[in-house]
Amino acid sequence: MSGRNDISMRQLRYFVAAAEQGQFSQAALQVHVSQSAITTAVSQLEAILAVRLFERRPHGVQLTAEGHKFHQHARHILDTLQDAVSQPMFRSHALHGSVRVGASYTVLGYFLPALLARFKRSYPQVEIDLIDMDRPSIEQGIADGSLDVGLTIVSNAGTCLAFERHVLMRSRRQLWLASDHPLMAMEAVRLSDVAGHPYILATVDEGESSAMRYWRSANLEPKVALRTSSMEALRGLVAHGFGVTILSDMLYRPWSLEGRRIEALPLLDAIPPMELGLICSSTNELSPVARAFQQFLISAIDR
C-alpha cells in the first residue's frame, strides 16, 4: 500500500520541468499540464522533504541549495528510467569496438559526463576515445575522418553541407548578477540597461564572438571590464558585484566558490539560446558503434 509520503514519477517530472524552465508556466507547457498541476506537485514534494526547493522570484523561480541537490537525484532517476525503457531498442551487449569523439570545453564540463556514464551502462563493450578540442578542430577532424562524432556549440558554426548536424539542447541565456546589484530592483531588464554596467565577458568556446553577435544586432556594446576563460573566476567576480554577464542556463550555478549568491534574470530583448549539438560527416557512413553512440545521444536528449 502506498503511503502519503510516497514520491511519484509524475511529481519528479513536474519538478524537473520547473527546475529546468525556471518558470512554472513554461514547465506546464513543456509537460502539457496546467500550471496548478506543477504548483501542486512542487508543494507536495516540499512538504514530503520538509525543505524549500524553489525561491519564488518576480521573474520566475530559482532552485535553492537543497533544490539543486534534489534536482540532481531526480534527473538521475528519470534518466535511468528512460534508459531502461529505451535499451531494448539497441543491441547493446552485442556491440563492441570504439568511437572517436571530439568535444569542446562547455560540452565536456557541463553536458557530457553523465551521458557518457549512461551510454557505458547500455554499451559496456564500447570504448569511447574522447578528445578535448575546440570547434574548428572538431570540424576538421570530422572532415578528415580522424573523428567519428563531434560535440560542440553548433550555434557558433555556419552551415556546411559536409556535416550532418543534430541540435541536442537549446539553453536560454539570462543575465547573471549579484543579489544586491542595482539591476535587481528593476521590474524588467533590457540589454540597453545592462550596457551601462561593467561586464564580465566569458571567452571560452568562442564566447566573445557569440556574445557580440547579439549585442551588435541590438546596436549596443557591453562595457567590458574583464575577459576571462575561467568560469569560476567569472562566477566569483559576478557574485562579488564586480560586473554582470549573460550566459546560458546550462552553465548557471547559483553560488560562487566562496558561497556568494548569483542571481539570474531574463532579458526583454530576444537573446538567442545557446545550441549544443552533434556533428558527423554527411558523406562518410558511420560505423555501427559510432552510429549507436549518435543515436543514443539523440534518444537520450529527446525527452
Side-chain angles (χ1 to χ4, degrees):
M1 181 181 295
S2 298
R4 286 183 297 175
N5 288 344
D6 286 349
I7 293 176
S8 69
M9 297 300 293
R10 174 185 56 81
Q11 290 170 325
L12 292 182
R13 284 197 305 112
Y14 293 0
F15 163 74
V16 166
E20 295 178 355
Q21 292 295 318
Q23 293 180 329
F24 286 179
S25 59
Q26 292 300 310
L29 290 173
Q30 183 187 48
V31 296
H32 310 293
V33 297
S34 67
Q35 184 172 334
S36 63
I38 302 291
T39 304
T40 298
V42 170
S43 297
Q44 290 169 341
L45 286 173
E46 290 181 326
I48 292 170
L49 300 170
V51 296
R52 286 175 58 208
L53 297 172
F54 290 101
E55 292 181 1
R56 276 64 173 178
R57 302 280 179 174
H59 305 285
V61 293
Q62 287 184 337
L63 289 168
T64 63
E66 293 82 5
H68 268 274
K69 293 176 184 176
F70 187 68
H71 175 255
Q72 292 175 345
H73 292 297
R75 180 77 271 167
H76 175 71
I77 291 167
L78 294 177
D79 288 343
T80 301
L81 176 61
Q82 183 181 0
D83 291 345
V85 172
S86 300
Q87 187 167 328
M89 296 169 57
F90 306 107
R91 294 174 299 150
S92 56
H93 290 277
L95 199 64
H96 60 86
S98 64
V99 56
R100 299 161 298 174
V101 181
S104 62
Y105 172 91
T106 301
V107 175
L108 286 170
Y110 299 91
F111 177 77
L112 196 54
L115 285 169
L116 290 181
R118 291 169 60 188
F119 179 80
K120 287 295 288 183
R121 287 197 296 270
S122 294
Y123 294 91
Q125 303 302 317
V126 172
E127 295 298 323
I128 302 169
D129 183 7
L130 185 62
I131 308 167
D132 183 354
M133 309 172 76
D134 60 21
R135 180 185 59 80
S137 299
I138 291 171
E139 292 180 351
Q140 181 59 44
I142 297 294
D144 65 25
S146 60
L147 293 176
D148 297 310
V149 171
L151 292 162
T152 189
I153 300 175
V154 295
S155 50
N156 289 339
T159 58
C160 179
L161 297 178
F163 299 135
E164 181 182 331
R165 295 173 22 147
H166 299 273
V167 175
L168 298 177
M169 74 173 298
R170 292 178 173 89
S171 181
R172 67 177 173 176
R173 291 181 167 106
Q174 297 198 89
L175 176 68
W176 298 10
L177 67 175
S179 297
D180 57 355
H181 195 280
L183 290 174
M184 285 294 296
M186 297 184 63
E187 289 188 7
V189 181
R190 295 184 178 274
L191 269 182
S192 56
D193 302 314
V194 178
H197 295 270
Y199 193 87
I200 312 298
L201 185 59
T203 60
V204 69
D205 259 348
E206 303 171 275
E208 180 165 0
S209 59
S210 175
M212 294 311 297
R213 279 197 293 271
Y214 57 78
W215 274 98
R216 287 171 181 161
S217 69
N219 295 316
L220 294 167
E221 293 277 341
K223 192 163 73 174
V224 177
L226 177 71
R227 291 171 170 83
T228 180
S229 62
S230 168
M231 287 302 302
E232 295 308 331
L234 180 146
R235 288 192 181 93
L237 291 166
V238 169
H240 282 277
F242 287 101
V244 300
T245 196
I246 298 170
L247 285 170
S248 78
D249 286 348
M250 190 180 79
L251 304 179
Y252 176 71
R253 302 292 182 270
W255 311 100
S256 70
L257 285 177
E258 306 89 352
R260 294 182 67 92
R261 179 80 189 188
I262 300 170
E263 307 288 349
L265 295 180
L267 291 158
L268 288 182
D269 305 78
I271 306 296
M274 182 188 76
E275 293 184 339
L276 187 152
L278 177 152
I279 63 171
C280 56
S281 174
S282 61
T283 57
N284 298 326
E285 186 175 353
L286 290 175
S287 69
V289 172
R291 179 66 66 183
F293 183 76
Q294 177 204 49
Q295 293 302 315
F296 177 88
L297 289 179
I298 294 171
S299 172
I301 299 302
D302 186 20
R303 300 186 183 101

